[in-house]
Amino acid sequence: MISNTKEDSSDSDPANINKFADVGLRTLMAFVGIAILSSGTTLLREGNVGLDPFTAMNTGLAAKINTGLGNAQLMVNLIIFVLILILDRKKIGIGTILNMTLVGYEIQWLSSAYKMILPNSINIFTTVANLIVGLLLFTLGSSLYMGANLGVAPYDAIAPIASTRLHIKYRSARITQDVLFMATAFFIGGAVGFATIIVAFFTGPLITHWDTHVSEKVKQGITNFSSTPSFSTAGKQLASVGKSSYYTVRRAYELTEQTQRQLSNYSNQELNDRIERTRNRSKQLGQVYENTQKQLRLLQGEADKRRNN
């Protein structure tokens, strides 16, 4: 989306960035991301396929204390927020405040709207559609709000703090955190289901995909616009993001269509061989992703250590 010319490089110089425009647009990016995340969570909730561990626990808590999801989620967020304020306030930003105050109420409102528009619509088709679209929106929203770099949700700050304080790997801390919240949700009657497990353990690659194809480009567009704020620059950046998004979606559709055409021509043996090769490739890619994440955490840890020194 962004050319690598010398002129563009100078435009992106941090010294030339309009801070007001930069923070304002990144706040808007986080706000939009949270709205998309809430929409995805609503679809998962209304499809009865389960929610992420934190929201699942809060739905159970809301039922126990006879209040709305928004109130219950805000109450739990405030408790975690105070702990983060004490342990590592650097994790807190505008995005933190937006996430902790908006998500629960947005899900509550969108769920009501969903029931009004599609009453009594639960069937195998809507369940599968809600699961797929809900996960895509949930991960896209997560990528956008985190990509704005304006602080993380209180829940998302627990594992990094625990990893640093307890000297354990981030992955171990995050898995332990998700399992504990998932178990709590299950015992208090929260919305635990198939999607809860997917969100807890397998959404990383999807978020990474959105980071690469959407969030990083949006953020770069914000940086470029903040360097030279004008309607012309805004139009160019919006056009670039729209064009990039269009080609991403079109490519995904073409690959799906191509695969569907090929499947009809496979013999049973060819189909089984294809499945086995794809399964092995998936394992290899998973290992590559895990190794890349380890390297990223090591580099980030070294950078944090140098900043603290």
Side-chain angles (χ1 to χ4, degrees):
M1 181 185 79
I2 308 300
S3 64
N4 293 322
T5 63
K6 186 174 181 179
E7 180 180 349
D8 283 340
S9 177
S10 63
D11 286 345
S12 298
D13 186 344
N16 298 327
I17 289 178
N18 183 310
K19 296 295 183 182
F20 179 79
D22 181 60
V23 174
L25 288 172
R26 285 194 291 127
T27 300
L28 178 61
M29 177 181 174
F31 180 83
V32 171
I34 288 167
I36 294 173
L37 181 155
S38 300
S39 301
T41 306
T42 299
L43 290 177
L44 295 175
R45 184 186 190 187
E46 296 306 317
N48 291 330
V49 293
L51 301 172
D52 63 277
F54 183 61
T55 309
M57 185 197 74
N58 290 329
T59 58
L61 177 63
K64 289 289 184 184
I65 63 178
N66 194 29
T67 188
L69 173 61
N71 292 335
Q73 188 138 319
L74 179 59
M75 180 179 67
V76 177
N77 270 327
L78 285 172
I79 294 171
I80 302 174
F81 180 80
V82 171
L83 294 176
I84 297 171
L85 199 61
I86 296 170
L87 297 173
D88 188 358
R89 62 182 61 196
K90 291 180 181 178
K91 295 286 190 294
I92 297 172
I94 300 172
T96 308
I97 307 300
L98 289 175
N99 187 291
M100 66 183 284
T101 56
L102 292 179
V103 173
Y105 292 106
E106 287 182 346
I107 296 170
Q108 189 175 317
W109 182 83
L110 289 169
S111 292
S112 298
Y114 183 98
K115 289 184 175 71
M116 290 177 60
I117 297 171
L118 296 170
N120 304 317
S121 62
I122 295 298
N123 54 55
I124 186 63
F125 174 76
T126 56
T127 296
V128 172
N130 281 14
L131 174 63
I132 295 173
V133 179
L135 284 173
L136 289 174
L137 291 178
F138 178 86
T139 50
L140 172 59
S142 299
S143 171
L144 285 169
Y145 109 78
M146 290 189 291
N149 289 335
L150 292 174
V152 299
Y155 181 80
D156 292 326
I158 296 174
I161 292 174
S163 175
T164 301
R165 295 271 175 169
L166 301 177
H167 305 290
I168 58 177
K169 294 181 179 179
Y170 169 79
R171 182 179 177 83
S172 300
R174 182 68 193 217
I175 290 175
T176 301
Q177 171 187 327
D178 286 337
V179 168
L180 288 174
F181 275 82
M182 197 186 308
T184 303
F186 177 79
F187 284 115
I188 65 175
V192 176
F194 179 64
T196 310
I197 299 173
I198 295 177
V199 171
F201 302 112
F202 303 110
T203 55
L206 270 176
I207 293 176
T208 301
H209 172 82
W210 292 125
D211 286 345
T212 303
H213 294 283
V214 179
S215 298
E216 290 176 3
K217 294 181 179 181
V218 170
K219 190 177 176 183
Q220 185 60 53
I222 289 173
T223 300
N224 288 351
F225 174 80
S226 300
S227 300
T228 53
S230 67
F231 287 112
S232 174
T233 305
K236 290 178 182 178
Q237 297 306 321
L238 286 173
S240 297
V241 171
K243 184 178 179 181
S244 176
S245 300
Y246 165 75
Y247 282 117
T248 298
V249 172
R250 192 182 78 172
R251 180 59 179 161
Y253 173 78
E254 289 174 348
L255 287 173
T256 301
E257 187 181 34
Q258 181 182 8
T259 301
Q260 289 174 337
R261 287 199 304 267
Q262 290 174 343
L263 286 175
S264 62
N265 298 323
Y266 287 155
S267 67
N268 290 340
Q269 184 58 47
E270 288 173 333
L271 184 59
N272 289 332
D273 291 343
R274 185 82 176 186
I275 290 172
E276 187 60 30
R277 287 200 300 271
T278 303
R279 182 181 292 115
N280 291 335
R281 192 179 301 119
S282 177
K283 290 179 180 178
Q284 293 170 359
L285 290 173
Q287 187 61 50
V288 170
Y289 171 76
E290 187 174 339
N291 291 338
T292 303
Q293 289 296 101
K294 288 179 180 178
Q295 293 176 25
L296 178 60
R297 286 195 293 272
L298 287 172
L299 291 169
Q300 188 62 56
E302 180 63 24
D304 292 342
K305 189 188 301 181
R306 293 185 182 186
R307 279 197 294 269
N308 293 333
N309 291 335

Coordinates of all heavy atoms in Angstrom, one line a residue, residues 132-220:
I132 N -18.4 -19.0 12.0 CA -17.3 -18.6 11.0 C -17.2 -17.1 11.0 O -16.1 -16.5 11.2 CB -17.6 -19.1 9.6 CG1 -17.5 -20.7 9.7 CG2 -16.6 -18.6 8.6 CD1 -18.0 -21.3 8.4
V133 N -18.3 -16.4 10.8 CA -18.3 -14.9 10.7 C -17.9 -14.3 12.0 O -17.2 -13.3 12.1 CB -19.7 -14.4 10.2 CG1 -19.6 -12.8 10.1 CG2 -20.0 -14.9 8.8
G134 N -18.4 -14.9 13.1 CA -18.1 -14.4 14.4 C -16.6 -14.4 14.7 O -16.1 -13.5 15.2
L135 N -16.0 -15.5 14.4 CA -14.6 -15.7 14.6 C -13.8 -14.7 13.8 O -12.8 -14.1 14.2 CB -14.1 -17.1 14.4 CG -14.5 -18.1 15.4 CD1 -14.1 -19.6 15.0 CD2 -13.8 -17.8 16.7
L136 N -14.2 -14.5 12.5 CA -13.5 -13.6 11.6 C -13.6 -12.2 12.1 O -12.6 -11.5 12.2 CB -14.1 -13.7 10.2 CG -13.8 -15.0 9.4 CD1 -14.5 -15.0 8.1 CD2 -12.3 -15.1 9.2
L137 N -14.8 -11.8 12.6 CA -14.9 -10.4 13.1 C -14.2 -10.2 14.4 O -13.6 -9.2 14.7 CB -16.4 -10.1 13.2 CG -17.2 -9.9 11.9 CD1 -18.7 -9.7 12.2 CD2 -16.7 -8.8 11.1
F138 N -14.3 -11.3 15.3 CA -13.7 -11.2 16.6 C -12.2 -11.0 16.4 O -11.6 -10.1 17.1 CB -13.9 -12.4 17.4 CG -13.3 -12.5 18.7 CD1 -13.9 -11.9 19.9 CD2 -12.0 -13.1 18.9 CE1 -13.3 -11.9 21.1 CE2 -11.4 -13.1 20.2 CZ -12.1 -12.5 21.3
T139 N -11.6 -11.8 15.5 CA -10.1 -11.7 15.4 C -9.7 -10.4 14.6 O -8.7 -9.8 14.9 CB -9.5 -12.9 14.6 OG1 -10.3 -13.1 13.4 CG2 -9.6 -14.1 15.5
L140 N -10.5 -9.9 13.7 CA -10.3 -8.7 13.0 C -10.3 -7.5 14.0 O -9.5 -6.6 14.0 CB -11.2 -8.5 11.8 CG -11.2 -7.1 11.1 CD1 -9.8 -6.8 10.5 CD2 -12.3 -7.0 10.1
G141 N -11.4 -7.5 14.8 CA -11.5 -6.4 15.8 C -10.4 -6.4 16.8 O -9.9 -5.4 17.1
S142 N -10.0 -7.6 17.2 CA -8.8 -7.7 18.1 C -7.6 -7.2 17.5 O -6.8 -6.4 18.2 CB -8.6 -9.2 18.6 OG -9.8 -9.7 19.2
S143 N -7.4 -7.5 16.3 CA -6.2 -7.0 15.5 C -6.2 -5.5 15.4 O -5.1 -4.8 15.7 CB -6.1 -7.6 14.1 OG -5.1 -7.0 13.4
L144 N -7.3 -4.9 15.1 CA -7.4 -3.4 14.9 C -7.2 -2.7 16.3 O -6.4 -1.7 16.3 CB -8.7 -3.1 14.3 CG -8.9 -3.3 12.8 CD1 -10.4 -3.2 12.4 CD2 -8.0 -2.4 12.0
Y145 N -7.9 -3.2 17.3 CA -7.8 -2.4 18.6 C -6.4 -2.5 19.2 O -5.8 -1.6 19.8 CB -8.9 -2.8 19.5 CG -8.5 -3.6 20.7 CD1 -7.9 -3.0 21.9 CD2 -8.7 -5.0 20.8 CE1 -7.5 -3.7 23.0 CE2 -8.4 -5.7 21.9 CZ -7.8 -5.1 23.0 OH -7.4 -5.9 24.1
M146 N -5.8 -3.7 19.1 CA -4.4 -3.9 19.6 C -3.4 -3.2 18.7 O -2.4 -2.7 19.2 CB -4.1 -5.4 19.8 CG -4.9 -6.1 20.9 SD -4.4 -7.8 21.3 CE -4.9 -8.6 19.8
G147 N -3.7 -3.2 17.4 CA -2.7 -2.6 16.4 C -2.6 -1.1 16.6 O -1.7 -0.5 16.2
A148 N -3.6 -0.5 17.2 CA -3.6 0.9 17.5 C -2.5 1.3 18.5 O -2.2 2.5 18.6 CB -5.0 1.4 17.9
N149 N -2.1 0.3 19.3 CA -1.0 0.6 20.3 C -1.4 1.7 21.3 O -0.6 2.6 21.6 CB 0.3 0.9 19.6 CG 0.9 -0.3 18.9 OD1 0.7 -1.4 19.3 ND2 1.8 0.0 17.9
L150 N -2.6 1.6 21.8 CA -3.1 2.5 22.8 C -3.5 1.8 24.1 O -4.4 2.3 24.8 CB -4.3 3.3 22.2 CG -4.0 4.3 21.1 CD1 -5.3 4.8 20.5 CD2 -3.1 5.4 21.5
G151 N -2.8 0.8 24.4 CA -3.1 0.0 25.6 C -4.0 -1.2 25.3 O -4.6 -1.3 24.2
V152 N -3.9 -2.2 26.2 CA -4.6 -3.4 25.9 C -5.8 -3.6 26.9 O -5.8 -2.9 28.0 CB -3.7 -4.7 26.1 CG1 -2.6 -4.6 25.0 CG2 -3.1 -4.7 27.5
A153 N -6.7 -4.5 26.6 CA -7.8 -4.7 27.6 C -7.3 -5.2 28.9 O -6.2 -5.9 28.9 CB -8.8 -5.7 27.0
P154 N -7.9 -5.0 30.0 CA -7.4 -5.5 31.3 C -7.2 -7.0 31.3 O -6.1 -7.4 31.8 CB -8.6 -5.1 32.3 CG -9.2 -3.9 31.7 CD -9.1 -4.1 30.2
Y155 N -8.0 -7.7 30.7 CA -7.9 -9.2 30.6 C -6.6 -9.6 29.9 O -5.8 -10.5 30.3 CB -9.1 -9.9 29.9 CG -9.0 -11.4 29.8 CD1 -9.3 -12.2 30.9 CD2 -8.6 -12.0 28.6 CE1 -9.2 -13.5 30.8 CE2 -8.5 -13.4 28.6 CZ -8.8 -14.2 29.7 OH -8.7 -15.5 29.6
D156 N -6.3 -8.8 28.8 CA -5.1 -9.2 27.9 C -3.8 -8.7 28.6 O -2.7 -9.1 28.2 CB -5.2 -8.5 26.6 CG -6.3 -9.1 25.7 OD1 -6.5 -10.3 25.8 OD2 -7.0 -8.3 25.0
A157 N -3.9 -7.9 29.7 CA -2.7 -7.5 30.4 C -2.3 -8.5 31.4 O -1.1 -8.4 31.9 CB -2.9 -6.1 31.0
I158 N -3.1 -9.4 31.8 CA -2.8 -10.3 32.9 C -1.6 -11.2 32.6 O -0.7 -11.3 33.4 CB -4.1 -11.2 33.3 CG1 -5.2 -10.3 33.8 CG2 -3.7 -12.2 34.3 CD1 -6.5 -11.1 34.0
A159 N -1.7 -11.9 31.5 CA -0.6 -12.8 31.1 C 0.8 -12.2 31.0 O 1.7 -12.7 31.5 CB -1.0 -13.6 29.8
P160 N 0.9 -11.0 30.3 CA 2.2 -10.4 30.2 C 2.8 -10.0 31.6 O 4.0 -10.2 31.8 CB 2.0 -9.2 29.3 CG 0.8 -9.5 28.6 CD -0.1 -10.3 29.4
I161 N 1.9 -9.5 32.4 CA 2.4 -9.1 33.8 C 2.8 -10.4 34.6 O 3.8 -10.4 35.2 CB 1.3 -8.4 34.5 CG1 1.1 -7.0 33.9 CG2 1.6 -8.2 36.0 CD1 -0.1 -6.2 34.4
A162 N 2.0 -11.4 34.5 CA 2.3 -12.7 35.2 C 3.6 -13.3 34.7 O 4.4 -13.8 35.5 CB 1.1 -13.7 35.1
S163 N 3.8 -13.2 33.4 CA 5.0 -13.8 32.8 C 6.2 -13.1 33.3 O 7.2 -13.7 33.6 CB 4.9 -13.6 31.2 OG 6.1 -14.0 30.6
T164 N 6.2 -11.7 33.4 CA 7.3 -10.9 33.9 C 7.5 -11.2 35.4 O 8.6 -11.4 35.8 CB 7.1 -9.5 33.6 OG1 6.9 -9.3 32.2 CG2 8.3 -8.6 34.1
R165 N 6.5 -11.1 36.2 CA 6.6 -11.2 37.6 C 6.9 -12.6 38.1 O 7.7 -12.7 39.1 CB 5.2 -10.8 38.2 CG 4.8 -9.3 38.0 CD 5.4 -8.4 39.1 NE 5.1 -7.0 38.8 CZ 5.3 -6.1 39.7 NH1 5.7 -6.4 40.9 NH2 5.1 -4.8 39.4
L166 N 6.4 -13.6 37.4 CA 6.6 -15.0 37.9 C 7.8 -15.7 37.1 O 8.1 -16.8 37.4 CB 5.3 -15.8 37.7 CG 4.1 -15.3 38.5 CD1 2.9 -16.1 38.2 CD2 4.4 -15.2 40.0
H167 N 8.3 -15.0 36.1 CA 9.5 -15.5 35.3 C 9.1 -16.8 34.6 O 9.8 -17.8 34.7 CB 10.7 -15.7 36.2 CG 11.1 -14.5 37.0 ND1 11.7 -13.4 36.4 CD2 11.0 -14.2 38.3 CE1 11.9 -12.5 37.3 NE2 11.5 -12.9 38.4
I168 N 7.9 -16.8 34.0 CA 7.5 -17.9 33.2 C 7.2 -17.5 31.8 O 7.1 -16.3 31.5 CB 6.2 -18.6 33.8 CG1 5.1 -17.5 33.9 CG2 6.5 -19.1 35.2 CD1 3.7 -18.1 34.4
K169 N 7.1 -18.4 30.9 CA 6.9 -18.1 29.5 C 5.5 -17.5 29.3 O 4.5 -17.8 30.0 CB 7.0 -19.3 28.6 CG 8.4 -19.9 28.5 CD 8.4 -21.1 27.6 CE 9.8 -21.7 27.5 NZ 9.8 -22.9 26.7
Y170 N 5.4 -16.5 28.4 CA 4.1 -15.8 28.1 C 3.0 -16.9 27.7 O 1.9 -16.8 28.2 CB 4.2 -14.8 27.0 CG 2.9 -14.2 26.6 CD1 2.2 -13.3 27.3 CD2 2.3 -14.8 25.4 CE1 1.0 -12.8 26.9 CE2 1.1 -14.3 25.0 CZ 0.4 -13.4 25.7 OH -0.8 -12.9 25.3
R171 N 3.4 -17.8 26.8 CA 2.5 -18.8 26.3 C 1.9 -19.6 27.5 O 0.7 -19.8 27.6 CB 3.1 -19.7 25.3 CG 2.2 -20.7 24.7 CD 3.0 -21.6 23.7 NE 2.1 -22.6 23.2 CZ 1.3 -22.5 22.2 NH1 1.2 -21.3 21.6 NH2 0.5 -23.5 21.7
S172 N 2.7 -20.0 28.4 CA 2.3 -20.8 29.6 C 1.3 -19.9 30.5 O 0.3 -20.4 30.9 CB 3.5 -21.3 30.4 OG 4.3 -22.1 29.7
A173 N 1.7 -18.7 30.7 CA 0.9 -17.8 31.5 C -0.5 -17.6 30.8 O -1.5 -17.6 31.5 CB 1.6 -16.4 31.7
R174 N -0.5 -17.4 29.5 CA -1.8 -17.1 28.8 C -2.7 -18.3 28.8 O -3.9 -18.2 29.0 CB -1.5 -16.7 27.4 CG -2.7 -16.3 26.6 CD -3.4 -15.1 27.1 NE -4.7 -14.9 26.5 CZ -5.2 -13.7 26.2 NH1 -4.5 -12.6 26.4 NH2 -6.5 -13.6 25.7
I175 N -2.1 -19.5 28.5 CA -2.9 -20.7 28.5 C -3.5 -21.0 29.9 O -4.7 -21.3 30.1 CB -2.0 -21.9 28.1 CG1 -1.7 -21.8 26.6 CG2 -2.8 -23.3 28.4 CD1 -0.8 -22.9 26.1
T176 N -2.7 -20.8 31.0 CA -3.2 -21.0 32.3 C -4.3 -20.0 32.6 O -5.3 -20.4 33.2 CB -2.0 -20.8 33.3 OG1 -1.0 -21.7 33.1 CG2 -2.5 -21.0 34.8
Q177 N -4.1 -18.8 32.2 CA -5.1 -17.8 32.4 C -6.4 -18.2 31.7 O -7.5 -18.1 32.4 CB -4.6 -16.4 31.9 CG -5.7 -15.3 31.9 CD -5.2 -14.1 31.2 OE1 -4.0 -13.8 31.2 NE2 -6.0 -13.4 30.5
D178 N -6.4 -18.5 30.5 CA -7.6 -18.9 29.7 C -8.3 -20.1 30.3 O -9.5 -20.1 30.4 CB -7.2 -19.1 28.2 CG -6.9 -17.8 27.5 OD1 -7.4 -16.8 27.9 OD2 -6.2 -17.9 26.5
V179 N -7.5 -21.1 30.7 CA -8.1 -22.3 31.3 C -8.8 -22.0 32.6 O -9.9 -22.5 32.8 CB -7.0 -23.4 31.5 CG1 -7.5 -24.5 32.3 CG2 -6.5 -23.9 30.1
L180 N -8.2 -21.2 33.4 CA -8.8 -20.8 34.7 C -10.1 -20.1 34.5 O -11.1 -20.3 35.1 CB -7.8 -20.0 35.5 CG -6.6 -20.7 36.1 CD1 -5.7 -19.7 36.8 CD2 -7.1 -21.8 37.1
F181 N -10.1 -19.1 33.6 CA -11.3 -18.3 33.3 C -12.4 -19.2 32.6 O -13.6 -19.1 32.9 CB -11.0 -17.1 32.4 CG -10.6 -15.9 33.2 CD1 -9.3 -15.8 33.6 CD2 -11.5 -14.9 33.6 CE1 -8.9 -14.7 34.4 CE2 -11.1 -13.8 34.3 CZ -9.8 -13.7 34.7
M182 N -11.9 -20.1 31.8 CA -12.9 -21.0 31.1 C -13.5 -22.0 32.1 O -14.7 -22.2 32.1 CB -12.1 -21.9 30.1 CG -13.0 -22.5 29.0 SD -12.1 -23.7 27.9 CE -10.8 -22.6 27.4
A183 N -12.7 -22.5 33.1 CA -13.3 -23.4 34.1 C -14.2 -22.6 35.0 O -15.3 -23.1 35.3 CB -12.1 -23.9 34.9
T184 N -13.9 -21.4 35.3 CA -14.8 -20.5 36.1 C -16.1 -20.3 35.4 O -17.2 -20.4 36.0 CB -14.1 -19.2 36.5 OG1 -12.9 -19.4 37.1 CG2 -15.0 -18.3 37.4
A185 N -16.0 -20.0 34.1 CA -17.2 -19.8 33.3 C -18.1 -21.0 33.3 O -19.3 -20.9 33.4 CB -16.8 -19.4 31.9
F186 N -17.4 -22.2 33.2 CA -18.2 -23.4 33.1 C -18.9 -23.7 34.4 O -20.1 -24.0 34.4 CB -17.2 -24.6 32.8 CG -17.9 -25.9 32.8 CD1 -18.6 -26.4 31.7 CD2 -17.8 -26.8 33.9 CE1 -19.2 -27.6 31.7 CE2 -18.4 -28.0 34.0 CZ -19.1 -28.4 32.9
F187 N -18.3 -23.4 35.5 CA -18.9 -23.8 36.8 C -20.0 -22.8 37.3 O -20.8 -23.1 38.1 CB -17.8 -23.8 37.9 CG -17.0 -25.1 37.9 CD1 -15.7 -25.1 37.6 CD2 -17.6 -26.3 38.1 CE1 -14.9 -26.3 37.5 CE2 -16.9 -27.5 38.0 CZ -15.5 -27.5 37.7
I188 N -19.9 -21.5 36.7 CA -21.0 -20.6 37.1 C -22.0 -20.4 36.0 O -22.9 -19.5 36.0 CB -20.4 -19.2 37.5 CG1 -19.7 -18.6 36.2 CG2 -19.4 -19.3 38.6 CD1 -19.2 -17.1 36.5
G189 N -22.0 -21.3 35.0 CA -23.0 -21.3 34.0 C -22.8 -20.3 32.9 O -23.8 -19.9 32.3
G190 N -21.6 -20.0 32.6 CA -21.3 -19.1 31.5 C -21.4 -19.7 30.1 O -21.6 -21.0 30.0
A191 N -21.3 -18.9 29.1 CA -21.5 -19.4 27.7 C -20.2 -20.1 27.2 O -19.5 -19.5 26.3 CB -21.9 -18.3 26.8
V192 N -19.9 -21.3 27.7 CA -18.8 -22.1 27.2 C -19.2 -23.0 26.1 O -20.2 -23.7 26.2 CB -18.2 -22.9 28.4 CG1 -17.0 -23.7 27.9 CG2 -17.7 -21.9 29.5
G193 N -18.4 -23.1 25.1 CA -18.8 -24.0 24.0 C -17.5 -24.2 23.1 O -16.4 -23.9 23.5
F194 N -17.8 -24.7 21.9 CA -16.7 -25.0 21.0 C -15.9 -23.8 20.6 O -14.7 -23.9 20.6 CB -17.3 -25.6 19.7 CG -16.3 -26.0 18.6 CD1 -15.4 -27.0 18.9 CD2 -16.3 -25.3 17.4 CE1 -14.4 -27.3 17.9 CE2 -15.4 -25.6 16.4 CZ -14.4 -26.6 16.7
A195 N -16.6 -22.7 20.4 CA -15.8 -21.5 20.1 C -15.0 -21.0 21.2 O -14.0 -20.3 21.0 CB -16.8 -20.4 19.7
T196 N -15.3 -21.3 22.5 CA -14.5 -20.9 23.6 C -13.1 -21.4 23.5 O -12.1 -20.8 23.7 CB -15.1 -21.3 24.9 OG1 -16.5 -20.9 24.9 CG2 -14.4 -20.7 26.1
I197 N -13.0 -22.7 23.1 CA -11.7 -23.4 23.0 C -11.0 -22.8 21.8 O -9.8 -22.6 21.9 CB -11.9 -24.9 22.8 CG1 -12.6 -25.5 24.0 CG2 -10.6 -25.6 22.6 CD1 -13.1 -26.9 23.9
I198 N -11.7 -22.6 20.7 CA -11.0 -22.0 19.5 C -10.4 -20.6 19.8 O -9.3 -20.3 19.5 CB -12.0 -21.9 18.3 CG1 -12.5 -23.3 17.9 CG2 -11.4 -21.1 17.2 CD1 -13.5 -23.2 16.8
V199 N -11.2 -19.8 20.5 CA -10.8 -18.4 20.8 C -9.6 -18.4 21.7 O -8.6 -17.7 21.6 CB -11.9 -17.6 21.4 CG1 -11.4 -16.3 21.9 CG2 -13.0 -17.3 20.3
A200 N -9.7 -19.4 22.7 CA -8.6 -19.4 23.7 C -7.3 -19.9 23.2 O -6.2 -19.4 23.6 CB -9.1 -20.4 24.9
F201 N -7.3 -20.8 22.2 CA -6.0 -21.4 21.8 C -5.7 -21.3 20.3 O -4.5 -21.5 20.0 CB -6.1 -22.9 22.1 CG -6.3 -23.2 23.6 CD1 -7.5 -23.8 24.0 CD2 -5.4 -22.9 24.5 CE1 -7.7 -24.0 25.4 CE2 -5.6 -23.1 25.9 CZ -6.8 -23.7 26.3
F202 N -6.6 -21.0 19.4 CA -6.3 -21.1 18.0 C -6.5 -19.8 17.2 O -6.5 -19.9 16.0 CB -7.1 -22.3 17.4 CG -6.8 -23.6 18.1 CD1 -7.8 -24.2 18.9 CD2 -5.6 -24.2 18.0 CE1 -7.6 -25.4 19.5 CE2 -5.4 -25.4 18.6 CZ -6.4 -26.0 19.4
T203 N -6.8 -18.7 17.8 CA -7.1 -17.5 17.0 C -5.8 -16.7 16.7 O -5.9 -15.8 15.9 CB -8.0 -16.5 17.8 OG1 -7.5 -16.2 19.1 CG2 -9.4 -17.2 18.0
G204 N -4.7 -17.1 17.2 CA -3.4 -16.4 17.0 C -3.1 -16.2 15.5 O -2.8 -15.1 15.0
P205 N -3.1 -17.3 14.7 CA -2.9 -17.2 13.2 C -3.8 -16.2 12.5 O -3.4 -15.5 11.6 CB -3.0 -18.6 12.7 CG -2.7 -19.5 13.9 CD -3.3 -18.7 15.1
L206 N -5.1 -16.3 12.9 CA -6.1 -15.4 12.3 C -5.7 -13.9 12.6 O -5.8 -13.0 11.7 CB -7.5 -15.7 12.7 CG -8.3 -16.7 11.9 CD1 -9.6 -17.0 12.6 CD2 -8.5 -16.2 10.5
I207 N -5.4 -13.6 13.9 CA -5.1 -12.3 14.2 C -3.8 -11.8 13.5 O -3.7 -10.7 13.1 CB -4.9 -12.2 15.8 CG1 -6.3 -12.4 16.5 CG2 -4.4 -10.8 16.2 CD1 -6.2 -12.4 18.0
T208 N -2.9 -12.7 13.4 CA -1.6 -12.4 12.7 C -1.9 -12.1 11.2 O -1.4 -11.1 10.6 CB -0.6 -13.6 12.7 OG1 -0.3 -13.8 14.1 CG2 0.6 -13.3 12.0
H209 N -2.9 -12.8 10.6 CA -3.3 -12.6 9.2 C -3.9 -11.2 9.1 O -3.5 -10.4 8.2 CB -4.3 -13.6 8.8 CG -4.9 -13.3 7.4 ND1 -4.3 -13.6 6.2 CD2 -6.1 -12.7 7.1 CE1 -5.1 -13.2 5.2 NE2 -6.2 -12.6 5.7
W210 N -4.8 -10.8 10.0 CA -5.4 -9.5 9.9 C -4.3 -8.4 10.2 O -4.4 -7.3 9.6 CB -6.5 -9.4 11.0 CG -7.7 -10.2 10.7 CD1 -8.3 -11.1 11.5 CD2 -8.5 -10.2 9.5 NE1 -9.4 -11.7 11.0 CE2 -9.6 -11.2 9.7 CE3 -8.5 -9.5 8.3 CZ2 -10.5 -11.4 8.8 CZ3 -9.4 -9.8 7.4 CH2 -10.5 -10.7 7.6
D211 N -3.4 -8.7 11.1 CA -2.3 -7.7 11.4 C -1.6 -7.4 10.1 O -1.3 -6.2 9.8 CB -1.3 -8.3 12.4 CG -1.8 -8.3 13.8 OD1 -2.8 -7.7 14.1 OD2 -1.2 -9.0 14.6
T212 N -1.2 -8.4 9.3 CA -0.4 -8.2 8.1 C -1.2 -7.5 7.0 O -0.7 -6.6 6.3 CB 0.1 -9.6 7.6 OG1 0.9 -10.2 8.7 CG2 1.0 -9.4 6.4
H213 N -2.5 -8.0 6.8 CA -3.2 -7.5 5.7 C -4.1 -6.3 5.9 O -4.5 -5.6 5.0 CB -4.1 -8.7 5.1 CG -3.3 -9.8 4.6 ND1 -2.7 -9.8 3.3 CD2 -2.9 -11.0 5.1 CE1 -2.0 -10.9 3.1 NE2 -2.2 -11.7 4.2
V214 N -4.4 -6.0 7.2 CA -5.3 -4.9 7.5 C -4.7 -3.9 8.5 O -4.4 -2.7 8.1 CB -6.6 -5.4 8.0 CG1 -7.6 -4.2 8.3 CG2 -7.3 -6.3 7.0
S215 N -4.4 -4.3 9.7 CA -4.1 -3.4 10.8 C -2.8 -2.6 10.5 O -2.8 -1.4 10.8 CB -4.0 -4.2 12.1 OG -5.3 -4.7 12.4
E216 N -1.8 -3.3 10.1 CA -0.5 -2.7 9.9 C -0.6 -1.6 8.8 O 0.0 -0.5 8.8 CB 0.6 -3.7 9.6 CG 1.0 -4.5 10.8 CD 2.0 -5.6 10.4 OE1 2.4 -5.7 9.2 OE2 2.3 -6.4 11.3
K217 N -1.4 -1.9 7.7 CA -1.6 -1.0 6.6 C -2.4 0.2 7.1 O -2.2 1.4 6.7 CB -2.2 -1.7 5.5 CG -1.3 -2.8 4.9 CD -1.9 -3.5 3.7 CE -1.0 -4.5 3.1 NZ -1.5 -5.2 1.9
V218 N -3.4 0.0 7.9 CA -4.2 1.1 8.4 C -3.4 2.0 9.3 O -3.4 3.2 9.2 CB -5.4 0.5 9.3 CG1 -6.1 1.7 10.0 CG2 -6.4 -0.2 8.4
K219 N -2.6 1.4 10.1 CA -1.7 2.2 11.0 C -0.7 3.0 10.2 O -0.4 4.1 10.5 CB -1.0 1.3 12.0 CG -0.3 2.1 13.1 CD 0.4 1.2 14.1 CE 1.2 2.0 15.1 NZ 1.9 1.1 16.1
Q220 N -0.1 2.3 9.1 CA 0.8 3.1 8.3 C 0.2 4.2 7.6 O 0.7 5.3 7.4 CB 1.5 2.1 7.3 CG 2.5 2.8 6.4 CD 3.7 3.3 7.2 OE1 4.3 2.5 8.0 NE2 4.0 4.5 7.0

